[in-house]
Amino acid sequence: MPASVLVGTQWGDEGKGKVTDLISGDFDCVVRYQGGANAGHTVIANGHKLALHQVPSGVMYEGVVPVIGNGCIVDPEILLSEIDMLEGQGVSCDLLKISGNAHIVMPYHKDLDGANEKRLGKNLIGTTKRGVGPCYKDKMDRIGLRVQDMLDEKIFREKLESALVSTNAILAKVYGMPTYTVEKICETYLPMAERIKPYICESSLFLNEELEAGKNILFEGAQATMLDIDHGTYPFVTSSNCTAGGAVTGSGVGPTNIDRVLGIAKAYLTRVGSGPFPTELPEGDEVGDKLSSVGHEFGVTTGRKRRCGWYDAVVVNYAARVNGLTDLAITKLDVLGCLDTIKVCVAYECDGKRYTTVPEHQSVFYHAKPVYEELPGWKCDISGCRDFYQLPREAKDYLDFIEQLADVRVSIVAVGPDREQTINRHWK
Ligand code: IMP
């Protein structure tokens, strides 16, 4: 397995951190290829629950090289505080590598993120307000600052001065907000640049050399398929390619090196932020409330309550297609143990037409009515199961049904938050 990609198949928060943490030990490098501090991966270190936003989850394994690829954006303040937090917990970040081509989140990106959301009013996207959209916007506009610009103060100042011409005009004239000077930003960013310098690396070259030396790479996706800028529920998406293809452009490793794509799907569904969600349970629904409380469905990055709903096989089947999934990991199966019966959305109906894949036309998706099949629940605690055959029949049937609808084998099943609370069927 030279390179594998791990991707979210839904709207994020599928438990990617736990699965990455579980399989990272089999790899030599773990690479983030898109997104920034909007991601929130929960991992457990020495019994402590840690939330990672910038550093790849692979950092938890000694000897695994964590890489922040060129497709990522880096918030230096959050990155450095995360490094300090990890080292404070005895987790070394010495091997961390950051691509010089990754873009830097600036303070004005966060201001603009908040201002854009305010401007959108009731149509707001519900972003994490980490400056993600504005930072990627500057990248595409070719006025962004990259991590490598931190290596040279003169270049950093020149590029910043140029970026501030248009940015300050937008801040002042469009939003009536305070503007920035080069000096003000350099005061905080230059000292941070000194600390970041040792981690900067030509990561595409490094990763390709690793592959040539027979090493294995795991690409750790953040956010998820339905939040992908191209394949998600635009405009209620993030600003990067979260799908498997992003691993290639976001790292500089060719697609022929990737032989497995592991999709992570929660056994039910959640979403934070705005946007369509066909299987959403209404506010105050008893089942929705149970999933929320038993599954602790609150955002890692923002603490927001996640919207809850039934498993949507149409979404996961779509994710199988756009990512080329070879394997599925089903997480939080234990949470469903609190329900008498479990619904699975097998298709949508809209204007008398039946859809078994996510319709490309946004209006159809907005008006899609889920068609459910109801399965019996198992009504017991399965968190102690370590083998597929230890699961109650109803839980095995649920997994078989999911597998059949996705047309992808279920290789990993998570039955609790700890690393050991996992059933590994086919991954190894
Ligand atoms: P942004 O990535 O902060 O621009 O937010 C865009 C959309 O993606 C919003 O709906 C966010 O709630 C969602 N989002 C971003 N990161 C995550 C994540 O890690 N998990 C779940 N949703 C996310």
Side-chain angles (χ1 to χ4, degrees):
M1 51 172 177
S4 301
V5 187
L6 179 150
V7 283
T9 59
Q10 299 158 327
W11 276 282
D13 309 313
E14 296 94 349
K16 293 182 291 294
K18 174 186 158 132
V19 181
T20 311
D21 179 51
L22 178 78
I23 65 174
S24 285
D26 302 333
F27 293 88
D28 301 289
C29 310
V30 176
V31 185
R32 278 272 313 264
Y33 57 87
Q34 45 74 227
N38 49 347
H41 290 174
T42 312
V43 289
I44 306 209
N46 308 325
H48 290 99
K49 211 173 181 185
L50 305 179
L52 299 181
H53 301 284
Q54 284 276 191
V55 178
S57 311
V59 74
M60 306 306 292
Y61 276 91
E62 228 179 286
V64 172
V65 182
V67 179
I68 297 179
N70 56 277
C72 294
I73 54 172
V74 175
D75 184 322
E77 208 178 324
I78 294 179
L79 174 74
L80 291 171
S81 66
E82 208 158 24
I83 291 174
D84 291 342
M85 180 271 289
L86 284 163
E87 303 225 308
Q89 293 289 337
V91 180
S92 167
C93 293
D94 286 355
L95 296 179
L96 176 68
K97 298 192 185 305
I98 305 171
S99 165
N101 286 348
H103 278 244
I104 310 171
V105 178
M106 308 300 280
Y108 47 80
H109 291 139
K110 294 183 216 176
D111 295 348
L112 289 168
D113 198 353
N116 285 335
E117 286 284 88
K118 220 167 166 182
R119 176 180 57 84
L120 287 168
K122 68 175 177 41
N123 295 324
L124 91 175
I125 290 162
T127 73
T128 57
K129 305 233 180 79
R130 297 287 173 110
V132 174
C135 183
Y136 277 114
K137 190 175 181 189
D138 279 0
K139 171 178 176 172
M140 293 305 170
D141 210 10
R142 288 147 300 177
I143 59 163
L145 275 85
R146 295 183 295 173
V147 167
Q148 61 174 288
D149 298 328
M150 288 182 147
L151 290 168
D152 185 324
E153 183 179 335
K154 188 168 166 280
I155 292 179
F156 187 86
R157 284 178 180 273
E158 277 170 13
K159 291 202 176 178
L160 182 55
E161 190 161 8
S162 162
L164 284 179
V165 174
S166 54
T167 305
N168 276 339
I170 295 168
L171 283 168
K173 297 195 176 126
V174 178
Y175 295 110
M177 291 171 78
T179 56
Y180 286 88
T181 60
V182 170
E183 219 40 61
K184 187 174 172 199
I185 291 178
C186 283
E187 245 170 53
T188 50
Y189 273 59
L190 292 180
M192 292 195 289
E194 285 311 308
R195 285 197 61 198
I196 286 175
K197 272 180 193 172
Y199 301 108
I200 302 177
C201 158
E202 223 171 298
S203 56
S204 164
L205 182 64
F206 168 76
L207 291 170
N208 281 283
E209 282 174 351
E210 289 287 283
L211 286 168
E212 263 169 46
K215 305 276 178 70
N216 297 320
I217 297 176
L218 176 66
F219 291 102
E220 175 188 13
Q223 290 85 43
T225 303
M226 298 305 277
L227 290 171
D228 181 283
I229 186 80
D230 284 283
H231 300 289
T233 46
Y234 191 89
F236 300 103
V237 292
T238 191
S239 304
S240 61
N241 283 118
C242 323
T243 44
V248 172
T249 52
S251 71
V253 166
T256 44
N257 293 292
I258 297 169
D259 62 358
R260 287 181 91 172
V261 183
L262 172 63
I264 317 298
K266 202 178 318 202
Y268 49 98
L269 201 43
T270 60
R271 175 168 199 172
V272 282
S274 323
F277 179 2
T279 63
E280 181 173 17
L281 290 159
E283 188 69 34
D285 181 273
E286 198 191 325
V287 172
D289 286 350
K290 263 193 194 166
L291 293 175
S292 175
S293 62
V294 179
H296 307 289
E297 296 299 349
F298 295 88
V300 179
T301 305
T302 57
R304 287 180 291 179
K305 189 170 186 254
R306 296 173 183 149
R307 300 154 66 191
C308 291
W310 295 114
Y311 182 87
D312 187 338
V314 181
V315 160
V316 178
N317 185 275
Y318 171 76
R321 164 157 61 91
V322 298
N323 292 294
L325 298 184
T326 58
D327 300 81
L328 263 178
I330 302 297
T331 58
K332 291 193 153 184
L333 188 68
D334 53 306
V335 173
L336 296 183
C338 65
L339 303 177
D340 294 326
T341 58
I342 302 162
K343 286 186 185 173
V344 172
C345 168
V346 295
Y348 303 143
E349 255 174 26
C350 189
D351 294 331
K353 214 174 144 193
R354 191 179 164 103
Y355 296 84
T356 51
T357 188
V358 173
E360 190 172 73
H361 202 290
Q362 58 193 355
S363 306
V364 179
F365 193 65
Y366 266 92
H367 298 112
K369 294 266 169 294
V371 178
Y372 289 114
E373 284 206 20
E374 197 155 358
L375 281 74
W378 44 92
K379 290 293 280 177
C380 64
D381 179 10
I382 57 166
S383 62
C385 297
R386 297 291 175 269
D387 189 288
F388 184 71
Y389 298 100
Q390 290 173 347
L391 289 170
R393 186 178 47 79
E394 294 83 356
K396 283 190 283 204
D397 289 348
Y398 186 71
L399 292 172
D400 285 345
F401 193 46
I402 282 178
E403 195 167 66
Q404 188 192 319
L405 291 164
D407 199 16
V408 180
R409 65 183 184 172
V410 173
S411 294
I412 295 174
V413 182
V415 291
D418 295 339
R419 207 181 265 174
E420 315 78 59
Q421 291 179 302
T422 312
I423 297 169
N424 193 335
R425 290 174 83 193
H426 309 295
W427 181 253
K428 282 232 171 183

